[in-house]
Amino acid sequence: MRLKHLTARVFGNGGMIFAAVAPVLAVLVAFPLLFVILQAVFPDIARGIFANPFSRFVETLFDKHLFHWTLNTLMLGGSVVLVSALVAVPLGVLRGLFRIPFAGLWDVVFLVPFTIPPYIAALGWIMALQPRGYLEQITGINFGGFLFSFWGVVFVMTLNVFPVVYFAVSRMVASIGGRYLEAARVAGCPPMRSFWRITLPLTTPAIAASLLLVFAMAIEEFGTPAALAARSGFLVLVTGIEQRLSDYPIDLPGASLLSVILVLIAMVAFMVQNRIVSRRDFQTVSGKPGAMRPAELGAWRIPVVVFFAVIGFLSAAMPILSVVLTASTRTISGGLAADNFSTDNFAEIFANSGGAMEALGTSLLLGLGAALITGILGTMTAYVVVRQRTVSSRILDFLTLMPNTIPGVVVAVGLILAWNQPWLPITPYNTIGILVLAYCCLLLPYPVRYANAALRQVSVSLEDAARVAGAGGIKVFFRILMPLIFPSILAAMLLVFAVAARELVATILLAPIGTKTVALFIWRQFEQGSVGMGMAMSVMAIAITMTIPVAVAIWARKQGRLF
Amino acid sequence: MKSFKTVLLAGFACLALSGTAMAQSVTVYTAGPGSLIEKLAAGFKDESGIDVNVFQATTGKVMARLEAESSNPMADVVVSASWKTATSFAKKDMLLDYTSANAKNVPDFLKGPGYVAQGISALAIAWNPKSGTPKPEDWTDLTKPEYKDLITMPDPAQSGSAYELVAALTSQPDLGWKLFDGLAANKMIVPGANAQALNPVLQGAKAVVFGAVDYIGLAQAAKGESIEVVFPKSGTVIAPRPMMILKTSAHQDEAKKFIDYVLSDAGQALVAKTQLMPARSDVKADRPLIADLKILEVDPKTDRKAVLDHFAKTFGME
Amino acid sequence: MVSAENSTLQTGSPVIATGVSQRFGSNTVLKTIDLRVAPGEVVALLGPSGCGKTTLLRLLAGLSRPTTGSIHIGDQLVADARGGAFVPPERRSIGMVFQDYALWPHMTVAQNVGFPLEMQGIGRAERDSRIAEALGLVGLGHLADRQPGTLSGGQQQRVALARAIVSRPRLVLFDEPLSNLDRELRESLVVDIASLLRKLGMTAVYVTHDHGEAFAIADRVAILHSGNILQIDAPEQLVGNPSSPIVVDFLKLGLVLPAEVSNGDLVIRGGMHRLSPPAGLVNGSRTGDLFLPRSALVASGTGGGVASGNAISGTVVHSMFRGDGYAVQMRFDHDIALEMFSTTRLGEGTIHDLDISWDRAFWYPHEDVQTHPTHNS
C-alpha cells in the first residue's frame, strides 16, 4: 500500500500504469536496443569486450555512398508517406463517415496486404508485370519499366503499408462521427470545404501517427527496394546494412551504426509528428454520448465502391493472383500454358502436411500471442504517454517506435546479444519465447500509435467519473478506457497478428533450433529453388491467417461495431 | 498488474527450461542447402541415434548469429557456403583440429586444419533455351548483341561466389574489366542475390544468368524448368562448402561423428543427390565434376572492396 | 482512520478543508481556503469562471492534490500536503456529477449506474435492486437497458445523478451539472436534485456559476473570487448582507458606485454628482463603494437629470416584457448598468430619477485596514 502511494506521488495520475509498463518496456525494447547501440560503439561487444570504442565510426560514416543512400532513404520514405496518405486518407474518411456497401468486406480485404510477406508480394508483382510476366502472357503488355523504377518501389510499398493509415483514419473518423461535419454544413460550409476544414483537422492525430508508422516501415524495409529498384541503381541505407550482413566477413558494428542513423532519421520524423499532434488535441469522445449514424452516399455510391474495389484489387487481389498462378503451374518457364497447370505444389504441401501444419500452427500461435501482449502493453504505454506528458513518457513513446525503424535483422542481432549473455539466470533465447519477444518488440508501435491517437480523443472526465465511482487506476484502464478505444486497438492487434504470423527477417536469425514457422517454411522452399511450392504455402498461409480477421469482422458486425 | 508480470515471468521460465538440456545431440549451423541437411540429419540419426539440431539460413545470417552469440556460443558444427569463413576461423583459432578418417579421399585443397569440404558448387551460365537466343558457350559470348538486355547476374556484394567470379575473371590478363564493360554495355542487370537473378530467366523476362550457382540451376532443370547449365570453356570459380567444429563445442564427440557421417559413402551420396559435387573424389555424381572443369584461381591478396566498388560503378549501382 | 468503504451511510459526513491552496507552477489557482460542510448540508460554490471553484471541487474529489492544507471527509484525513497523506478518489466513498455527464458510452444505463456498486464488490442481486431504486429516484426506471447515447441531455444527466448517489456516498460533488441544459430543464432538475439530497440526507458540494441555481439548492452558498472565498452564508444572508462590492456585483443585487467623501457628501467618482447620505453611513472613511440595493431605489418620475442629494438618474436602455411586468435595463454614469423591475413599460432613452432610501444603503470603505461595511440601520 505504501509503495502504491509512493508511485502515485512520484508519477502522478497514471503512475500505477507507468510503474507497471516501464519495466516491461525496458526488458522488451530497451534491453536489446541498448545492445544494438553498444554494438555500434564497441566492435567486440559480442565477445563481451568493451575495447576500441568508436573505432569503426570513421570507416562506416565516411563511406562515400552514405550520403547518397541517406538521401534515397528519405526520398523513399517521404514518397511512400505521401502516396499512402493520398490513397488511404480518402478511403478511411469515407469508411468512417458513410455507409459503404460491403464495408466489412473492404476491411478484411485491406488487411490482406499485411498477411502477404513483403518479399512474396514483391515477387508476385515481378512475376505479374515483368516482360513475359503473367500480364504480358495474358494481355500482351508489360509494365516492367514502371515496376523496376523508383516509383514502382513506391507503388508496391504503398500497397503493402497503406492499410495502417486506412484503419487508423477510419476508426478515428467513425469515433468522431458526422456531427461536427453537420455543424459545419449548417454553418454554411460546403461539403468539400467542411471536409478540409473540419474532418481532416480533427483526424490529424490519427493521420500523423499512422503516417509516422508508414515512414518507419518504409525506411526500414529491405526486400521491396532491393528486389525492384536495386537493378536501376536505386540503393538505400538498408541496402548498406543488408550488404554488411549478407556475406562473410560480416560487419555487425557497421550494420548497427547504420541502423542508428535510421533511428535518428525516425527521431526527427517522430518530433515532427509530435509537434503536429500536440497542437491539435481534440477530445471528441466526451461524456455526452451521441448516437452514431453513418451518412448515405447517394449518387456517389458507385464511384466510391469502384474506388474501394480498385485499391482492393491492386493491393490484395493482384499479388495474390500472381502468387496463386505461380503456385498452380508446374514450372515457371512453362508459363500459363494449359498443360503447365497442376496441383503438384499443393499436393506436395499436403504430403508434407506434418511440417507445414506444424509451421502454420506455430505461426498462428505466435501471431495471437504477439497481438495480445502488444495490444495490452501498447495501450498502457499510450495511456502513460497521453495522460502524463512528461519527459519520461515521451521517451517511452519514442522507445516503442524505435524497433520499427531498425531493420528486423539488426533488432534480431540485438536480441541475441542481449539474451544470450552467459550471466543471465534465465533466458528465452533458443526457446520460442525469443520469437514472442522479437515480435512484440518489432510490432509494439502499431498498438501504441493506434491507442495513442484514440486515447487523445477520450475526455478525461470519463476516467474521473470512474475513479470517483471507486475504480482504481488499473480498473479504470481495463473497464473504461480499453473498451472505449477498443475498435482502434483491435484493428492494431489484427495488424500485429497478420505481420507476426508471417515475419521472416528476424525469425530467420532468431528461430530456436527445430522451430518451424510459416515464413521459414516458405523461405526454405525458395532457397531450394521451389518457388512454386513456396508460393503454394503462401497461399495457404494467407488463407488460414485471414480466417481470424474474418471471424473478428463477422463477430464485430453482430456486435454492431467496426472491428 | 502484478499477476500479469508473474505470468509473463513464469512463461519465460517454462520456455527457458524446455529449451535447454537435450541429451545426445549436436547443433549444426548450416548455410544450406536445406534439403541436404534434412537428409543428412535423418541419416545420421538413423545411424548413430544422435539428434541433429539444425539452424539453417544464408551464410551471412549464419555468421551474424555466430558472431552475436560469441559470448555464449551455441553451435557445435558450422557448414558455410564460403571457404574463406573456414580459413579465417582457423586463423583465429576457433576450430577444433580434427581430421576425419573419411577425409582420406578429399583432395588436399578441399581440407585444412579443422575444416573440410562438404561438397562443392561451381558458377556457371544458366540459359533458358526457350528464350530464342543462341546457346552461350563462354562468358565472353554474353557481350554479343544477341543477348542485349537479356542478362542477369547475382550481386557480388551479396554473394561470395559471385564476388570470386568477378575477382577471378578481372584478373585474367586478356580480360581485365573489358568483359564487364561489355556486359554493362549489353545492359546486364544485377537484381540481388542468386534467386533474384535466376527468377527473371525462368519466366523469360531475361535469357541468361551470368554466374549462376550450378546446383540450383541443375535442380531446376531436373524439375522440368526450361533451363540449361553451361560451364564456360575458359573456366570458372568453384565454391567449396566447408564444415568445421567449433572449439567451444560442448558435444565434440557427437560433432566428430557427424563430420564422419557427412564424409561417409552414404553422406557423400546425399551430397551428390542435391547436384553438388561431392568432396570425395572417389564418389560419383550425375553431373560434371571438378576434374571436368577448368578452375580459375582467385588471388587471395585481391582487394575485395576495390573490386566491389569497381563493379558497382560499372553497373551504376552507387 | 475510519474506512468507510464498505459501510453505506445513511447521512452524509462532514467535510473540513483547512488552509487548502493549489498552485500550478507559479500560477496560484486557489489561495489558502477554509471550508466546513456540516453533515447533510448542501454547500454551493458560486463564482465566475476561473475563480477556483472547480479546482476546490477536484481537491475534495481527490482528482488533484492540494499544494498546502488538509482535507477531512468524516473522520478520514483524505489529503494532507504537509504529511503527504493522500487518499485517491476511488477510496473516498464519494459520488460526483460532471458537467459533461461523463457517462461511459460503451455501457448501458444500468451498467453505468451500477458501476460504483460493482467496484464495492456488491453482489448482482443487491446491485440490481439498488440500480432500480436509484433510477426510480431520478424517474428513469424504464430506461435501464438503453445505451446512454440514445438519451436526451436531461435524461443523461439524471443517469449521471443516479450513478452518483447509488452507493449512498458520504459526500456528493456536483461540477456545474446543469450548465449544458436548457433553462426549463435546469429549473426542474435543480428542484429534483435539492429534494433528493434532502431526502437522502447527503452532504453535497455543488459548483455553479448561476446564482439562481445556487440559491435554489444550497443551505449555504460560498462566493469564490480569484481563488478566495469572499463570503459563505445562507442565501438570504448573502443577499441581505453582502460582504463586499464584488459579491454585490456578482449577485447583481443593485448599484455599486465608487465615491469620495467630501464635506459629508458623497461625490460619485468621475462625475459631478453629489449625494447627501445621513451622517454615520460613511463613518469617517474618505473613499469607498456605495451599494444601493434595488429595494433602496424607487422611481420618482422622469426628471431632467436635475439631481437632488437623495436621488440619482439613469437612462433606460431597454425594456422587456416579463409577463407580470417589465424588466428594465438602466444605465447610470460610467456605464454602470442595472436591471430593475417596473410595472409599466419605460420608453427607451428616457431618463428617470430614482429616490434613494438611505436606510437600505451600504457603504464599503476603501481603507487598507479591513473594516466591516457600515450599514445605517
Side-chain angles (χ1 to χ4, degrees), chain A residues 20 46 127 130-131 233 235 242 245 247-248 250 331-333 420 427 429-431 508-509 511 513 524 527 529, chain B residues 1 15-16 27 53 55-56 60-61 64-65 67 69 71-72 74 85 88 130 160 202-203 205 220 225-226 316-317:
Chain A
M127 308 222 19
Q130 76 180 349
L235 302 178
E242 196 64 27
L245 295 178
D247 192 38
Y248 192 82
I250 57 155
T331 61
I332 297 172
S333 48
N420 197 35
T427 170
Y429 188 58
N430 255 330
T431 72
I508 201 171
L509 210 55
I513 282 151
R524 279 189 191 145
E527 187 263 347
Chain B
M1 195 34 48
L15 291 167
T27 301
N53 304 317
F55 167 67
Q56 190 222 327
K61 304 294 179 290
R65 179 150 163 168
E67 177 122 5
E69 283 179 350
S71 66
N72 191 15
M74 298 277 163
T85 53
S88 89
K130 288 208 289 192
L202 287 177
Q203 214 183 18
Q220 294 286 357
E225 291 287 359
S226 166
M317 295 176 59

Side-chain angles (χ1 to χ4, degrees), chain B residues 203-220:
Chain B
Q203 214 183 18
K206 304 286 169 183
V208 59
V209 185
F210 182 102
V213 180
D214 59 350
Y215 76 93
I216 296 175
L218 292 167
Q220 294 286 357

Side-chain angles (χ1 to χ4, degrees), chain B residues 33 36 39-40 117-120 215 241 243 261-280 283-285 287:
Chain B
L36 175 59
K39 288 178 204 145
L40 286 173
Q118 171 195 50
I120 306 103
Y215 76 93
R241 299 170 160 251
M243 303 187 279
Y261 175 76
V262 178
L263 293 174
S264 69
D265 291 345
Q268 288 291 292
L270 291 174
V271 171
K273 244 174 112 179
T274 54
Q275 310 279 6
L276 282 166
M277 294 178 265
R280 270 169 55 181
V283 176
K284 293 281 157 283
R287 54 153 290 162

Side-chain angles (χ1 to χ4, degrees), chain C residues 20-368:
Chain C
V20 169
S21 74
Q22 188 160 45
R23 262 198 324 269
F24 297 110
S26 62
N27 180 20
T28 303
V29 186
L30 205 59
K31 290 166 190 161
T32 313
I33 273 185
D34 294 306
L35 178 71
R36 287 171 162 270
V37 186
E41 189 187 23
V42 179
V43 168
L45 305 180
L46 180 63
S49 59
C51 69
K53 55 190 194 297
T54 296
T55 306
L56 180 54
L57 195 76
R58 290 177 66 83
L59 288 174
L60 295 178
L63 293 169
S64 51
R65 290 153 178 271
T67 311
T68 66
S70 67
I71 301 170
H72 281 83
I73 300 178
D75 297 332
Q76 189 184 17
L77 176 66
V78 294
D80 181 17
R82 190 176 305 157
F86 182 75
V87 177
E90 61 268 26
R91 292 193 290 119
R92 290 193 178 190
S93 302
I94 53 178
M96 185 160 174
V97 182
F98 291 80
Q99 184 174 13
D100 69 352
Y101 321 147
L103 294 181
W104 302 302
H106 59 298
M107 298 183 188
T108 64
V109 166
Q111 283 167 340
N112 264 284
V113 175
F115 190 82
L117 302 175
E118 202 186 324
M119 289 301 115
Q120 291 178 5
I122 290 170
R124 181 100 212 184
E126 191 191 340
R127 214 157 73 205
D128 284 348
S129 75
R130 284 176 65 179
I131 293 169
E133 187 196 343
L135 282 174
L137 281 172
V138 298
L140 292 180
H142 56 296
L143 297 179
D145 295 324
R146 294 269 291 273
Q147 292 291 329
T150 64
L151 305 183
S152 70
Q155 287 171 329
Q156 289 190 10
Q157 197 54 298
R158 280 172 191 270
V159 174
L161 180 61
R163 184 177 67 184
I165 58 160
V166 69
S167 63
R168 295 291 161 89
R170 50 186 182 170
L171 170 65
V172 193
L173 304 171
F174 293 85
D175 185 10
E176 308 207 28
L178 306 179
S179 60
N180 274 316
L181 301 173
D182 59 57
R183 193 164 63 97
E184 216 161 297
L185 260 173
R186 208 156 60 212
E187 280 166 7
S188 77
L189 252 175
V190 84
V191 174
D192 290 356
I193 294 174
S195 64
L196 194 60
L197 290 175
R198 298 290 164 349
K199 190 155 119 196
L200 300 174
M202 285 176 174
T203 308
V205 177
Y206 189 106
V207 162
T208 179
H209 61 266
D210 181 306
H211 51 269
E213 220 172 291
F215 293 164
I217 207 159
D219 297 313
R220 285 190 299 151
V221 175
I223 308 284
L224 272 85
H225 186 266
S226 336
N228 276 319
I229 293 184
L230 296 183
Q231 186 174 7
I232 174 160
D233 268 317
E236 299 81 1
Q237 193 53 32
L238 215 53
V239 172
N241 199 0
S243 67
S244 74
I246 304 171
V247 174
V248 172
D249 194 49
F250 183 69
L251 295 178
K252 298 195 171 55
L253 297 175
L255 272 183
V256 178
L257 303 169
E260 263 173 54
V261 182
S262 159
N263 295 333
D265 279 355
L266 284 177
V267 184
I268 307 301
R269 189 175 301 158
M272 301 305 290
H273 202 72
R274 293 176 89 91
L275 294 174
S276 318
L281 183 69
V282 296
N283 208 10
S285 53
R286 314 186 71 180
T287 62
D289 290 307
L290 177 66
F291 164 39
L292 302 171
R294 269 193 204 82
S295 57
L297 297 169
V298 181
S300 59
T302 47
V306 189
S308 74
N310 292 319
I312 56 169
S313 52
T315 312
V316 173
V317 178
H318 187 67
S319 264
M320 188 168 65
F321 186 52
R322 270 278 171 80
D324 48 355
Y326 294 84
V328 179
Q329 190 91 40
M330 293 196 82
R331 187 171 302 283
F332 301 88
D333 285 354
H334 317 295
D335 279 351
I336 298 169
L338 183 64
E339 191 168 90
M340 308 281 292
F341 186 77
S342 165
T343 48
T344 55
R345 178 184 286 276
L346 303 180
E348 279 172 30
T350 55
I351 298 172
H352 295 266
D353 290 342
L354 299 168
D355 285 341
I356 299 170
S357 315
W358 285 111
D359 55 338
R360 294 187 177 167
F362 289 74
W363 173 252
Y364 301 101
H366 272 182
E367 265 74 328
D368 290 342

Side-chain angles (χ1 to χ4, degrees), chain A residues 16 19-21 23-24 27-28 39 43-48 59 63-65 68-69 72 123 126-128 130-134 137 222-223 226-228 230-235 239 242-243 245-250 252-253 330-335 345 373 376-377 380 409 413 416-417 419-422 426-434 436-437 474 478 505 507-514 516 520 523-524 526-533, chain B residues 1 4-5 8-9 12-20 22 27-29 31-36 38 52-74 80-82 84-86 88-89 92 94 128 130-132 150 152 155-161 163 188-192 195-196 198-206 215-216 219-220 223-227 241 304-305 309 312-313 315-318:
Chain A
M16 289 289 296
V21 111
V24 180
V27 170
L28 197 65
Q39 174 74 82
D44 293 318
I45 191 72
R47 272 166 215 90
E59 183 188 335
D63 187 315
K64 63 179 174 196
H65 303 306
H68 197 170
W69 288 354
N72 281 353
L123 191 56
I126 291 174
M127 308 222 19
Q130 76 180 349
R132 311 223 190 159
Y134 296 129
Q137 292 177 34
F222 169 68
L228 297 180
R231 61 177 68 179
S232 57
F234 181 82
L235 302 178
T239 321
E242 196 64 27
Q243 275 181 5
L245 295 178
S246 62
D247 192 38
Y248 192 82
I250 57 155
L252 287 186
R330 196 172 287 119
T331 61
I332 297 172
S333 48
N345 288 319
I373 295 175
I376 294 171
L377 202 58
M380 290 168 78
V409 60
V413 167
I416 299 178
L417 288 172
W419 288 108
N420 197 35
Q421 293 295 323
I426 57 161
T427 170
Y429 188 58
N430 255 330
T431 72
I432 197 148
I434 194 75
V436 176
L437 274 188
I474 304 287
F478 281 102
V505 185
T507 315
I508 201 171
L509 210 55
L510 285 173
I513 282 151
K516 291 192 184 71
L520 286 178
W523 177 79
R524 279 189 191 145
F526 280 111
E527 187 263 347
Q528 285 164 38
S530 309
V531 176
M533 213 170 126
Chain B
M1 195 34 48
F4 173 65
K5 263 188 285 183
L8 212 69
L9 283 176
F12 282 158
C14 289
L15 291 167
L17 284 177
S18 69
T20 52
M22 274 180 269
T27 301
V28 178
Y29 284 19
S35 57
L36 175 59
E38 269 171 39
V52 181
N53 304 317
V54 177
F55 167 67
Q56 190 222 327
T58 59
T59 301
K61 304 294 179 290
V62 168
M63 293 305 142
R65 179 150 163 168
L66 274 178
E67 177 122 5
E69 283 179 350
S70 37
S71 66
N72 191 15
M74 298 277 163
S80 151
S82 158
K84 212 169 49 193
T85 53
S88 89
F89 277 21
K92 289 185 197 160
M94 290 164 63
N128 185 341
K130 288 208 289 192
S131 63
L150 292 173
T152 73
D155 187 354
Q158 291 179 55
S159 157
S161 50
Y163 156 72
M188 178 173 89
I189 59 162
V190 186
Q196 281 103 308
L198 183 60
N199 178 279
V201 175
L202 287 177
Q203 214 183 18
K206 304 286 169 183
Y215 76 93
I216 296 175
Q220 294 286 357
K223 267 186 62 190
E225 291 287 359
S226 166
I227 204 84
R241 299 170 160 251
R304 179 171 183 266
K305 197 168 177 330
D309 282 351
K313 206 170 170 190
F315 291 93
M317 295 176 59
E318 288 181 289

